[in-house]
Amino acid sequence: MASSNSVGILSIWWLGVQYDCQKGSSLRLPAMQNVTQLAGYTAHRSRQFQQGECKATPLLLEGQALSDFSPGDSGELQVVADTGQSWVFPDAWILSAPTMTDDGGKMPITWNMNVGREIVGS
């Protein structure tokens, strides 16, 4: 049986610029979610939209601006896996300004988004 590769590295591109990120980035696609509705002695299911979410910890490197990560208008976020998959979100936005640390310039950031496109490489 041939082995398959699993995702090991996610690269983040924000507003057309690639940022190196610490291990541990995560991505949840925008999708419908089930919500439990209780009535009497019965549980029912309804649905609602759940926004997508990307969490990553870029490093602020020499020549880069912390202010590039200030919350503002939405923009394009790309998440690219080392296994060939990529996800493009044209309407992503940063939830809150990151706190940058003196431990390598780590700055955890959370983006939310409404829509996206998944591209699966071969």
Side-chain angles (χ1 to χ4, degrees):
M1 173 184 230
S3 66
S4 295
N5 293 328
S6 63
V7 173
I9 299 171
L10 291 179
S11 297
I12 303 294
W13 293 73
W14 174 237
L15 303 176
V17 178
Q18 182 179 9
Y19 292 92
D20 291 332
C21 297
Q22 292 277 287
K23 186 103 171 130
S25 298
S26 64
L27 175 64
R28 180 185 69 221
L29 298 177
M32 296 302 291
Q33 70 177 2
N34 290 318
V35 178
T36 300
Q37 303 292 335
L38 299 176
Y41 295 99
T42 308
H44 301 275
R45 176 180 64 95
S46 65
R47 299 183 77 196
Q48 70 182 31
F49 181 75
Q50 181 180 43
Q51 80 281 359
E53 182 176 85
C54 178
K55 292 184 176 187
T57 304
L59 302 179
L60 187 66
L61 303 175
E62 186 176 1
Q64 295 177 338
L66 183 59
S67 60
D68 288 345
F69 294 96
S70 295
D73 294 336
S74 56
E76 185 176 271
L77 173 68
Q78 296 179 29
V79 181
V80 180
D82 60 341
T83 51
Q85 299 98 324
S86 61
W87 300 266
V88 180
F89 305 98
D91 71 339
W93 63 91
I94 294 174
L95 289 183
S96 60
T99 299
M100 192 264 306
T101 71
D102 63 358
D103 182 22
K106 296 175 188 173
M107 47 183 184
I109 299 174
T110 300
W111 288 268
N112 279 169
M113 67 285 289
N114 286 310
V115 296
R117 181 170 165 223
E118 182 171 16
I119 303 164
V120 179
S122 54

